[in-house]
Amino acid sequence: MQESSHSNIVAALIPRSNLQLARLCVITVVFALLIFGALRYDNFLSSYNILSFLRYNSMFMLIALGMALVIMTGGIDLSVGGTAAMTSVVAALLSPYGWPAGLLGGMAAGLVVGIVNGLVVTRLRIQPFIATLAAMLATYGMALLLSGNQSVSASYDTAFVSIGQDDFLGFPIPAWIAIACYVVGWIALERHPVGRRILAVGDGEATAKLMGLKVGRTLLGVYATSGLLAGLAGVILAAQFGAGQPTEGVGWELFAISSVVVGGTLLSGGVGSIGATLAGAILLAMVFNILNFENGLGVISLSAYWQSVIRGAFLLVVVILQAKLMNGRSTR
Amino acid sequence: MLLSMTGINKSFGDVRVLDDASLQVEPGETMALIGQNGAGKSTLIKILTGAYSHDTGRIEFQGREVRFGSTAESQAGGIATIYQEINLAPNRTVAENIFLGREPRRFGLVDRARMQADARTVLRRFKLDIDVNRPLQDFEAATRQMVAIARGVTQNARLLILDEPTSSLDEREVAVLFETIRTLKADGVAAIFISHRLDELFAICDRVTIMRDGRTVAVSPMKDISKVDLVRTMLGKELAAFTAKKRAHGDGEGAALVDVENLGAGVRVRDVSLNIGKGEIAGLAGLLGAGRTETARLIYAADRKERGAVKVDGRETNYSAPADAIADGMGFVSEDRKIEGIVPEMSVRENMTLAILPKLQKAGIVDKAAQRAIVEKYIAALGIKCSSPEQPIRELSGGNQQKVLLARWLCMNPRLLIVDEPTRGIDVGAKAEILKLLRSLADEGLSVLMISSELEELIAAADHVTVLSDGLSVRRLASEDITEANLLSAMAHQEVPA
Ligand SMILES: Nc1ncnc2c1ncn2[C@@H]1O[C@H](COP(=O)(O)OP(=O)(O)OP(=O)(O)O)[C@@H](O)[C@H]1O
Ligand SMILES: [Mg+2]
């Protein structure tokens, strides 16, 4: 009895699946970076750095969450950056009518994009890559049209900018929003039937259909969710910078995809984790943060271009590391 | 009448697949549905369940005309279906697969404890004691099939459809399945049962519906029809009996090609010795779990051997991967064709010649004429039913996909061909053709190692049979000694009293 419960504990510590292994890997790297940063830079673990890190990066965490759900079904959503840019403009334009108008208006605009994506993918059977690529172009265009190619100041007369700039219980509001969304996302994926359906669809659409699962509705749901979360990210963007940003958002989709992949979610769908996606987003953001500190040290000065190269290289290293670990144990 | 399908027509493009097909099932009755590969059985089923839509025709279920728009609708309407392709989600756990779409809930969320407990209870009925929290893909084909069946029978349907559920099962599992069908039947549940194993139909079914070329040609009570009549009606002609002229040196006198000596790895293969002569068909028999597939995998280096030796032409082989074995003239038709086999989007031609493309190249360009000649040869030789060599393989019926994979290895002209359940899912007519083809290739010098669960097949085709039991080669039977009684007793690892 004693012995078996002991070996159960040991078994629980050994990752049972590639996903768990990837999760372990990304969390280890996050901690390694944390320790590295804490030892090397004086203010790395200062509350100022931590809070502004969370305030800024919660936008990316949100789009990564939506992206994770889409990728788990075997799809992709390239329109999140454009959607966020567009909804930041929408939210800024509506902000004079009160913060709820800005918030809900931005979210609604994102939701509409998501629903359109979902319908194009499910009804017209257009490949997600193509469908959302078109949506990406369209949303950037809409952002420029609505804003007249300029950033649109948000109203400071209403409480709108508080959404991005203020704290609640000593914690940035955007971070609260991200946490809430991740909790809901985790419950939905891990505990609600809809999560099983999302992963089953990613495992094989034709099969899921034969099993009697509502594939179309599931796909529509994940694209809509991704749009909604991108809309929310756009609202936070506008509120945080006090203006709608029609030219922001470029490359956001790649950041989101990278976070999801680093978190061990397979691009082919069917396997994925919400927690690891969050860890993946934090990891990538932390590399950025560390590079900023490195610049601040003044030893070397890295241009934005170099930072991008370094981030890319780092991403590659992490993914290769994971692949190596997985191959090492894939013989069953 | 529980179900009545009449005048069903269906075309894919301009290929007519169903032509006035019909199917009637009474409540509580078990109906056999039989026909050659490509006769249209699976298509008819998919039309019923809403996976496909029919062009014309009428479907009545429980007295009402129905036209299910999706499989979800037919499931809700009381029809549970186990499709021919094992239709489950490989990355989900066993428990999740059984309950996907109808998870037990608590406060709106999945009640995982109950789901797992329920899954265990269900599987116990199927005598399956497995970890329900492991992903389905960790299990072998037979187990996955049993899980699919468990999913189907727990749907509390009025009609249960089983499209070739037994092709990957052994006799014990088939018995368990039949017990379940009988229990359901006692509760008034009707079933449609598709299989190419005639004995099974006679064992479990009340009536039979026979299809040929998309048409329903006969319906008869099972007890009023003989096997011979059944086959004749199904084929539209007499079954050309397959009686092989066995090799004289079936007892190993001929020149040996392969010698396997005391092979072992892990616990599944403990100590296996066998030999295969040039031009011989060697059989490998045993119950599920006896180590047949595992032995074959060691021979062609899909798994690493730990003990013993594999000699080809007297020289010990040292393959480090299947690629080496293939280069040395081995071919392997795996049992798990879904996983190792087809590329669904590619055509029949491409799928068939995938492995020999390098050989077909002249100055870097594929010799189209030679390729076409080969493809047409095997389409004819194996009777592959397709609209053209360019048809995507996913559109072929299950049995015809398997024939393409068999052809893929045959056209490589191997010295040794290892075939794992070569006639699984193949109709009785084509089965005889395939055995005949293997025999004529053997006469030309090909050696074959045939793994089969079908004793008749071993008896008819093999020159000698090595019987495995629990990872040991326990018996070698040659020519006249290959009888059902001998095989069965050896498989159970008992000596026949003299
Ligand atoms: N999606 C499709 N597109 C084109 N042709 C198809 C499609 N599905 C099936 N067919 C054709 O319909 C015919 C009947 O196929 P079906 O799968 O119903 O046969 P079957 O009787 O189930 O055979 P088997 O015993 O091999 O499973 C085959 O010739 C097949 O090529
Ligand atoms: Mg079929």
Side-chain angles (χ1 to χ4, degrees), chain B residues 238-315:
Chain B
E238 292 293 331
L239 174 65
F242 172 69
T243 45
K245 313 176 291 300
K246 299 244 174 160
R247 276 218 139 10
H249 56 251
D251 46 6
E253 289 159 16
L257 178 71
V258 179
D259 275 305
V260 173
E261 292 166 2
N262 306 102
L263 191 62
V267 289
R268 302 293 290 270
V269 180
R270 294 195 288 160
D271 186 352
V272 172
S273 301
L274 59 89
N275 58 41
I276 309 164
K278 292 204 173 87
E280 274 178 5
I281 299 181
L284 198 54
L287 296 172
L288 197 85
R292 293 168 303 172
T293 299
E294 288 80 2
T295 299
R297 288 176 64 87
L298 293 178
I299 294 176
Y300 81 105
D303 295 323
R304 197 164 286 278
K305 66 173 190 281
E306 287 165 10
R307 304 177 288 278
V310 176
K311 292 180 183 165
V312 174
D313 270 338
R315 279 182 304 104

Side-chain angles (χ1 to χ4, degrees), chain A residues 191 196 203 209 211 270 332, chain B residues 71 75 91 96 110 112:
Chain A
R191 293 288 182 265
R196 311 296 87 200
D203 241 353
K209 224 173 239 162
M211 288 176 98
R332 61 163 166 85
Chain B
T71 50
Q75 243 176 54
N91 282 306
E96 285 171 343
V110 179
R112 300 201 300 174

Side-chain angles (χ1 to χ4, degrees), chain B residues 169-188:
Chain B
L169 303 183
D170 76 0
E171 273 167 46
R172 278 174 299 178
E173 291 158 323
V174 171
V176 173
L177 171 63
F178 283 5
E179 212 177 288
T180 316
I181 294 179
R182 287 197 189 97
T183 317
L184 289 172
K185 185 182 170 127
D187 295 340

Side-chain angles (χ1 to χ4, degrees), chain A residues 29 33 44 53 281-294 307 310-312 314-315 318:
Chain A
V29 175
L33 286 179
F44 191 72
F53 177 91
I282 290 175
L283 191 158
L284 291 181
M286 217 140 91
V287 174
F288 202 53
N289 192 239
I290 283 176
L291 288 172
N292 279 338
F293 270 95
E294 197 60 37
Q307 296 200 7
I310 290 175
R311 280 215 289 169
F314 192 81
L315 176 64
V318 173

Side-chain angles (χ1 to χ4, degrees), chain A residues 16 187 190-193 196-197 199-200 203 207 209-214 269-271 332, chain B residues 71-72 75 83 87-92 96-97 101 103 105 108-110 112 133 137 151:
Chain A
R16 296 221 304 180
I187 291 175
E190 301 291 338
R191 293 288 182 265
H192 194 270
R196 311 296 87 200
R197 208 154 68 215
L199 291 167
D203 241 353
T207 295
K209 224 173 239 162
L210 285 183
M211 288 176 98
L213 302 180
K214 300 198 166 96
V271 175
R332 61 163 166 85
Chain B
T71 50
Q75 243 176 54
Y83 294 90
N87 55 310
L88 297 175
N91 282 306
R92 300 293 96 231
E96 285 171 343
N97 266 294
E103 294 87 353
R105 294 192 187 201
L109 302 180
V110 179
R112 300 201 300 174
N133 293 324
Q137 62 183 2
R151 175 183 168 79

Side-chain angles (χ1 to χ4, degrees), chain B residues 34 73 101 103 153 172 202 298 354 413 415 454 468 496:
Chain B
I34 190 171
E73 282 179 33
E103 294 87 353
V153 302
R172 278 174 299 178
F202 281 98
L298 293 178
L354 210 54
N413 288 324
R415 291 195 288 170
E454 297 195 27
L468 301 189
V496 221

